[in-house]
Amino acid sequence: MKVLVINCGSSTFKYQLIDMDTETVLCSGLVERIGEQQGMLSYKGHPGTDRERKFTLEQPFPDHRAGMNAVMKLLTDSEKGVLKSLEEISAVGHRVVLGGEAIRESCLMGEKEKRIVAELSELAPLHNPANLQGIDVAQQLLPHAPSVGVFDTEFHSTLPAKAYIYPLPIELYEKMRIRRYGYHGTSHRYVTQQAAAFLGKDVTEINLITCHLGNGCSITAVENGKSVDTSMGLTPLEGVMMGTRCGSIDPAALLYLGTRKGLDFPELEELINKKSGLKGICGLNDMRDIHAASEKGDEKAKLAVDMFCHSVRKYIGAYYAVLGRVDAVVFTAGIGENDDVARAEICDNLEILGIAVDAQKNAVRSGSPRDISAPNAKVPVLVVPTNEELAIAQETMRVLSMQ
Ligand code: ADP
């Protein structure tokens, strides 16, 4: 069975076609700048397939439908494509960001489910409308293939009330559902399963602190395989410092900027989402560039790295206290998987918690799950590559098998 995985943003979408019999990626790519004068489609046929190649196309894509149409054409192109017919696609798995309290599990996206996702757009205006658009277009272009929604929030549906209710007037939760939802759930769940397999433990008995550190960053406390606390909140802005997002700050700072300095809501939104985090401190948001600048003596770049690592360490400490017993600390996503310098700094001086990183093991680069902890450390520190697309495809298969 072949599953097409779609992850839509407002002017982009990522796609990946996976043969689920062998869990092999047949091709993947990205459509960018949808709605702009010139759009771009990148396509990568994967190594090991007989259509292994990589190229980009530049042309306007007025909307998601046009972009998706171009991808469908490529998939079945007689020279470049990996399919003879679109009928070979058995299902489409969609990343959907916010399922709220109404959708707590991956599900077939019928009219009722789409309506719920649309209603939740108010709380996730950057993501849910785009996700919904992807579902509509896929249903139009591939009417034979069921669409399954896999929600970023679903892994966190097990949070206890004490972790998800904000200390605001309770009516805001009761009437408006203002609460912590948590994000990156597909990744946290995937690395939880991978870490359990790596350690030879039953996933229902494992306690972990999972650190998804990419452009967006979130930390999750996993107890007996379930999310019991997580750093992102109502939106993906809360928690640790990120590439361009500030993470948790004193909310009164925004009130001050609004009431005393005259910044309006769109300006504040841009400030905390796009101009803050690593970028706000040193002008750069890619950790590779920041390390390079720091090595050249850029003090603000060094400060940005120190602040980032400090904010992750604080969550590790906090979630250690939440869990009591920790079977492993897990690093994943762009920074978590690749940045040995950040991992070492985050875990520095945590021997008291049984956490210590071995310098040599930490420096090894690999695409496989690995243990980088020091020989005598009580708590394994693991690097586990995430694979959200495969996780979405697996969930899609699971939902279909239950029909
Ligand atoms: P996203 O959250 O958009 O899915 P990724 O998980 O791919 O992002 O993470 C992207 C981030 O990973 C980049 O901003 C970059 O800072 C970081 N990154 C990728 N490779 C490295 C590396 N070798 N060293 C340090 N940071 C890296």
Side-chain angles (χ1 to χ4, degrees):
M1 273 180 77
K2 296 182 177 85
V3 173
L4 180 65
V5 176
I6 300 284
N7 179 355
C8 272
S10 53
S11 61
T12 62
F13 70 85
K14 288 189 205 165
Y15 63 92
Q16 196 168 105
L17 183 67
I18 307 178
D19 182 338
M20 291 307 289
D21 297 332
T22 53
E23 295 198 342
T24 314
V25 178
L26 299 173
C27 68
S28 64
L30 175 68
V31 177
E32 296 170 273
R33 297 190 222 131
I34 295 170
E36 292 181 27
Q37 262 189 351
Q38 189 66 284
M40 189 152 89
L41 186 160
S42 53
Y43 177 94
K44 189 172 165 207
H46 277 256
T49 65
D50 56 353
R51 298 293 168 104
E52 177 184 337
R53 64 187 85 211
K54 208 173 167 179
F55 58 88
T56 54
L57 289 179
E58 289 201 17
Q59 65 181 76
F61 299 111
D63 51 25
H64 283 72
R65 188 188 164 97
M68 204 85 85
N69 244 329
V71 171
M72 300 298 164
K73 274 207 184 106
L74 279 177
L75 294 180
T76 50
D77 184 276
S78 59
E79 261 180 52
K80 302 175 182 131
V82 289
L83 297 177
K84 290 202 174 64
S85 146
L86 292 177
E87 297 285 321
E88 288 175 58
I89 299 174
S90 306
V92 186
H94 294 269
R95 177 197 181 200
V96 187
V97 168
L98 181 61
E101 293 191 335
I103 304 185
R104 289 164 178 266
E105 279 204 342
S106 314
C107 58
L108 280 176
M109 295 306 296
E111 290 311 313
K112 183 175 128 233
E113 291 77 13
K114 288 200 284 182
R115 215 169 26 251
I116 294 170
V117 171
E119 280 162 14
L120 287 165
S121 291
E122 217 175 278
L123 288 177
L126 298 178
H127 295 102
N128 272 29
N131 302 155
L132 207 48
Q133 211 168 357
I135 295 168
D136 281 335
V137 172
Q139 289 179 338
Q140 285 159 18
L141 297 179
L142 300 168
H144 66 279
S147 278
V148 173
V150 180
F151 294 78
D152 270 31
T153 46
E154 65 185 74
F155 184 59
H156 304 300
S157 67
T158 47
L159 293 187
K162 65 184 174 187
Y164 72 69
I165 296 189
Y166 287 124
L168 292 165
I170 192 75
E171 298 78 37
L172 296 188
Y173 167 62
E174 290 170 342
K175 298 201 176 114
M176 296 186 218
R177 294 289 176 255
I178 304 281
R179 52 160 283 184
R180 176 183 312 287
Y181 289 104
Y183 293 86
H184 290 144
T186 308
S187 175
H188 287 291
R189 181 177 50 208
Y190 181 80
V191 299
T192 294
Q193 289 162 348
Q194 294 286 309
F198 181 83
L199 295 171
K201 294 197 178 207
D202 193 322
V203 74
T204 61
E205 288 171 10
I206 203 162
N207 283 10
L208 301 170
I209 300 172
T210 52
C211 308
H212 177 110
L213 308 177
N215 280 318
C217 301
S218 66
I219 322 284
T220 295
V222 176
E223 185 172 55
N224 298 326
K226 294 190 170 133
S227 172
V228 292
D229 207 348
T230 192
S231 59
M232 282 180 168
L234 175 72
T235 74
L237 188 68
E238 195 183 343
V240 290
M241 177 179 177
M242 308 178 212
T244 61
R245 287 173 249 171
C246 59
S248 296
I249 57 164
D250 181 349
L254 301 180
L255 299 181
Y256 173 78
L257 288 171
T259 55
R260 301 292 169 87
K261 299 291 166 192
L263 268 69
D264 62 18
F265 286 119
E267 283 170 326
L268 288 172
E269 193 168 358
E270 175 150 341
L271 181 85
I272 56 181
N273 272 303
K274 306 238 169 91
K275 295 184 174 168
S276 296
L278 296 165
K279 188 168 189 183
I281 299 303
C282 67
L284 302 167
N285 63 296
D286 188 308
M287 204 45 124
R288 288 163 287 201
D289 299 337
I290 298 172
H291 284 311
S294 174
E295 276 160 27
K296 283 191 197 136
D298 183 331
E299 287 297 322
K300 286 185 177 150
K302 182 171 180 331
L303 175 64
V305 176
D306 289 346
M307 286 171 65
F308 176 81
C309 295
H310 182 68
S311 83
V312 177
R313 278 167 70 81
K314 287 205 288 191
Y315 271 98
I316 292 177
Y319 288 169
Y320 210 117
V322 166
L323 294 168
R325 188 198 86 225
V326 176
D327 296 318
V329 173
V330 179
F331 286 102
T332 194
I335 298 172
E337 290 169 31
N338 299 301
D339 192 340
D340 53 325
V341 176
R343 288 192 303 252
E345 187 167 335
I346 291 165
C347 296
D348 186 36
N349 216 6
L350 290 181
E351 287 85 358
I352 190 84
L353 299 180
I355 297 170
V357 160
D358 179 272
Q360 267 182 336
K361 289 188 205 160
N362 188 28
V364 174
R365 295 183 70 89
S366 153
S368 307
R370 56 203 184 273
D371 185 345
I372 59 164
S373 50
N376 298 324
K378 205 171 80 219
V379 179
V381 177
L382 307 183
V383 178
V384 178
T386 193
N387 191 339
E388 286 167 284
E389 287 76 18
L390 178 60
I392 291 172
Q394 287 169 339
E395 269 297 287
T396 302
M397 297 288 287
R398 191 183 65 78
V399 170
L400 291 182
S401 71
M402 291 185 327
Q403 301 308 308

